[in-house]
Amino acid sequence: IAGITQAPTSQILAAGRRMTLRCTQDMRHNAMYWYRQDLGLGLRLIHYSNTAGTTGKGEVPDGYSVSRANTDDFPLTLASAVPSQTSVYFCASSSGDDTGELFFGEGSRLTVL
Amino acid sequence: GQNIDQPTEMTATEGAIVQINCTYQTSGFNGLFWYQQHAGEAPTFLSYNVLDGLEEKGRFSSFLSRSKGYSYLLLKELQMKDSASYLCAVIGSNYQLIWGAGTKLIIKP
């Protein structure tokens, strides 16, 4: 089934630990995104990639890094997790068309203690 | 600054009609999306408007007025499964999406 796969679906993490959230899509979409979603706030863009080999910073990039070595994979890394990074993280992709809809993964719920 | 406003929560009755409003103030406009998000799940696409007017898709319709910075999502013949959050998002001048906080719709029998 085509779509976006995120892993893990849920994780509890000690503060200071390094964590990578994985995201893989099989739709051959050029653009990929990482969002965080917190109660009472809209989805906030962390990082994005318009095409393989390029990445850009979104609204809330601090404490996060990404890479885009190929079209399919777009991992998000927290180098040293802090409690304020407790959130639900969504990976998304689009065809890259200016009007392209976003397709979302099922989300990764991260708790940093 | 850029801002998207939606009501936080609305309640409606099964079988009725509900209108969820979205107002936006952005530095540019290149389209507006509505997404549905059930609790604990990912957002899914409902509609896209870039020109003024009404777009109808089954029980759901979306309206846009660019001059007023205003959109609404109209849900007809409400079903219990329509209980979800509805997210409004605007494509701004740099072609990045700006998201509203979402409207939680509660459907009562």
Side-chain angles (χ1 to χ4, degrees):
Chain A
I1 299 176
I4 297 183
T5 303
Q6 289 184 234
T9 55
S10 181
Q11 182 76 44
I12 299 174
L13 187 67
R17 298 297 296 268
R18 180 184 179 89
M19 178 73 195
T20 295
L21 303 181
R22 300 184 297 279
C23 176
T24 300
Q25 55 105 356
D26 61 3
M27 297 176 283
R28 308 303 295 170
H29 283 167
N30 287 321
M32 296 187 75
Y33 310 85
W34 273 106
Y35 286 95
R36 61 178 289 173
Q37 187 174 41
D38 302 290
L39 195 64
L41 299 176
L43 287 162
R44 292 184 291 170
L45 182 66
I46 304 171
H47 285 286
Y48 65 93
S49 169
N50 288 329
T51 190
T54 69
T55 62
K57 294 181 179 181
E59 180 185 358
V60 288
D62 294 344
Y64 306 94
S65 63
V66 292
S67 61
R68 187 86 184 277
N70 56 61
T71 298
D72 298 344
D73 301 301
F74 191 45
L76 176 74
T77 297
L78 290 68
S80 179
V82 295
S84 62
Q85 292 178 311
T86 294
S87 187
V88 180
Y89 292 86
F90 286 101
C91 181
S93 73
S94 73
S95 61
D97 182 335
D98 292 338
T99 61
E101 70 178 89
L102 291 182
F103 295 83
F104 286 86
E106 290 302 309
S108 297
R109 181 175 296 275
L110 184 66
T111 302
V112 183
L113 301 177
Chain B
Q2 306 197 94
N3 195 51
I4 296 183
D5 288 316
Q6 309 178 232
T8 302
E9 186 175 297
M10 299 181 69
T11 302
T13 303
E14 189 177 16
I17 298 173
V18 70
Q19 178 175 312
I20 302 174
N21 295 325
C22 171
T23 58
Y24 61 88
Q25 295 172 316
T26 58
S27 58
F29 180 85
N30 290 290
L32 184 145
F33 287 103
W34 283 97
Y35 280 77
Q36 181 189 59
Q37 185 177 25
H38 286 101
E41 298 183 9
T44 55
F45 171 83
L46 284 179
S47 68
Y48 170 74
N49 294 70
V50 67
L51 299 177
D52 291 350
L54 189 68
E55 295 280 343
E56 297 186 79
K57 189 185 296 185
R59 293 189 299 113
F60 293 7
S61 302
S62 57
F63 172 83
L64 175 67
S65 169
R66 289 172 295 171
S67 62
K68 295 181 179 179
Y70 169 69
S71 173
Y72 67 72
L73 181 69
L74 190 71
L75 292 74
K76 302 177 184 176
E77 302 169 15
L78 286 169
Q79 302 175 9
M80 297 304 293
K81 68 178 181 179
D82 297 330
S83 292
S85 289
Y86 292 85
L87 314 181
C88 175
V90 171
I91 306 173
S93 58
N94 61 354
Y95 291 94
Q96 295 290 351
L97 273 176
I98 306 154
W99 293 84
T103 298
K104 182 178 181 180
L105 178 63
I106 300 168
I107 310 296
K108 295 185 175 180

